[in-house]
């Protein structure tokens, strides 16, 4: 099963080299067939030059695109999700806040269980966060509690972007609506509402070493709420029109 990793990158010239080297070395060590797909989201720094150099000299599985616009986290991820070639695809952060070894766990869990998606949780037993800002943590836990109550689900880390989906799952939850970080909520909630199976694996999160976070909490509240309400309406009022279609067994005719 070929694994694709979609990485959105805006002004990440410092973060990308250690992130991509660590990711490539880990996947190569475990013998996982893969491609690393980076969407350069019209960066204003040397992100594109860094990608060109790494692809030419160090990382043969690296492919990259430049998203001409519109730009934004959600648009950049969506750009990559329209172009990956693997059998499954993970969304991974350019700042190495996600751990490549956790991605290996996701991949193996999908192989073992044949589920449609694997979600990470930083808050389950075995998960951890390193240098997580206190205010951001409070907002995160409140937001995830609201999502759980509104949607009636047990999963406790919906806002975690780091997840793995089969190609069929990605196709089944289109079209995508969210242009910003609220895409991280849209993808798993649509998968859950539409009846795709999933497993949860504890994962770790480490605060970035370079640059600054692109997530502006004040700007995102209403956008997260919009996606949450959309998924709520689909769950309770769409009458199953968008649910995963189960394969119908073909009846065999026996000649006598």
């Amino acid at each position: 099963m070929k694994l694709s990793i979609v990485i959105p990158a805006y002004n990440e010239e410092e973060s990308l080299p250690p992130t991509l080297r660590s990711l490539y070395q880990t996947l190569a060590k475990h013998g996982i067939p893969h491609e690393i797909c980076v969407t350069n989201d019209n960066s204003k720094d040397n992100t594109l030059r860094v990608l060109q150099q790494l692809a030419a000299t160090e990382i043969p599985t690296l492919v990259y695109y430049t998203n001409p616009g519109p730009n934004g986290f959600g648009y950049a991820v969506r750009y990559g999700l329209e172009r990956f070639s693997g059998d499954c695809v993970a969304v991974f952060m350019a700042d190495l806040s996600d751990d490549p070894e956790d991605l290996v766990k996701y991949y193996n869990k999908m192989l073992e269980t044949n589920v449609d998606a694997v979600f990470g949780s930083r808050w389950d037993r075995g998960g951890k966060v390193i240098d997580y800002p206190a205010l951001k943590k409070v907002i995160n836990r409140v937001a995830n509690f609201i999502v759980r109550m509104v949607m009636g689900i047990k999963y406790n880390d919906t806002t975690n972007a780091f997840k793995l989906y089969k190609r069929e799952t990605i196709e089944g939850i289109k079209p995508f609506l969210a242009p910003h970080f609220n895409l991280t909520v849209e993808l798993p909630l649509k998968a859950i509402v539409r009846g795709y199976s999933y497993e949860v694996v504890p994962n770790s999160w480490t605060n970035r070493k370079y640059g600054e976070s692109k997530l502006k909490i004040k700007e995102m509240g209403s956008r997260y709420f919009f996606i949450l309400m959309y998924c709520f309406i689909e769950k309770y009022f769409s009458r199953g029109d968008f649910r995963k279609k189960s394969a119908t067994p073909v009846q065999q005719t026996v000649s006598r």
Side-chain angles (χ1 to χ4, degrees):
M1 185 169 67
K2 182 179 178 181
L3 168 65
S4 293
I5 306 99
V6 167
I7 302 176
Y10 177 71
N11 292 348
E12 296 285 6
E13 61 177 337
E14 293 180 295
S15 296
L16 278 174
T19 297
L20 298 181
R21 286 173 184 138
S22 177
L23 186 56
Y24 173 69
Q25 291 166 6
T26 300
L27 296 176
K29 177 181 68 175
H30 289 277
I32 297 176
H34 71 277
E35 66 171 356
I36 302 171
C37 307
V38 179
T39 300
N40 168 36
D41 200 31
N42 231 347
S43 298
K44 309 307 180 189
D45 64 356
N46 290 317
T47 291
L48 180 58
R49 187 180 303 172
V50 167
L51 289 170
Q52 292 170 336
Q53 184 174 18
L54 289 172
T57 62
E58 295 186 48
I59 305 177
T61 57
L62 172 61
V63 294
Y64 56 89
Y65 316 98
T66 293
N67 175 23
N71 300 118
F73 177 88
Y75 284 123
V77 173
R78 287 162 57 179
Y79 200 87
L81 291 179
E82 294 293 343
R83 289 162 176 81
F84 74 95
S85 65
D87 304 298
C88 58
V89 59
V91 178
F92 197 89
M93 302 304 286
D95 58 8
L96 201 56
S97 55
D98 304 318
D99 187 341
E101 290 289 348
D102 287 333
L103 179 56
V104 174
K105 295 176 184 177
Y106 288 17
Y107 179 84
N108 288 333
K109 176 63 73 171
M110 181 170 282
L111 284 179
E112 292 165 6
T113 61
N114 198 33
V115 288
D116 299 313
V118 177
F119 300 158
S121 175
R122 298 163 289 186
W123 315 106
D124 279 358
R125 183 185 299 272
K128 64 179 179 179
V129 294
I130 300 171
D131 194 24
Y132 203 97
L135 177 59
K136 187 176 179 180
K137 181 177 180 180
V138 171
I139 295 173
N140 177 289
R141 302 321 301 139
V142 170
N144 276 283
F145 175 78
I146 293 172
V147 171
R148 289 171 61 194
M149 294 300 101
V150 171
M151 298 302 298
I153 60 177
K154 294 182 179 180
Y155 178 51
N156 64 2
D157 202 7
T158 306
T159 58
N160 183 357
F162 185 25
K163 297 179 171 72
L164 176 66
Y165 303 88
K166 283 186 177 178
R167 172 177 287 277
E168 294 81 3
T169 308
I170 290 296
E171 293 300 321
I173 60 179
K174 290 180 178 179
F176 304 131
L177 303 176
H180 301 288
F181 278 88
N182 49 345
L183 184 70
T184 63
V185 173
E186 179 182 359
L187 298 182
L189 286 186
K190 275 187 175 178
I192 294 171
V193 167
R194 296 185 182 185
Y196 290 89
S197 60
Y198 67 95
E199 290 279 351
V200 178
V201 173
N203 76 288
S204 63
W205 183 94
T206 304
N207 202 4
R208 64 165 54 238
K209 295 180 180 179
Y210 309 103
E212 60 179 16
S213 172
K214 312 302 186 296
L215 174 60
K216 308 300 180 185
I217 295 176
K218 291 182 179 180
E219 299 175 6
M220 291 308 300
S222 61
R223 289 167 173 157
Y224 277 106
F225 182 75
F226 165 75
I227 289 298
L228 178 59
M229 288 298 96
Y230 174 88
C231 293
F232 175 84
I233 291 170
E234 181 175 312
K235 179 176 182 179
Y236 292 104
F237 297 98
S238 69
R239 303 181 67 85
D241 290 341
F242 305 102
R243 286 186 66 83
K244 176 185 177 182
K245 302 298 187 294
S246 300
T248 303
V250 178
Q251 292 185 345
Q252 295 182 340
T253 302
V254 180
S255 299
R256 296 184 183 276

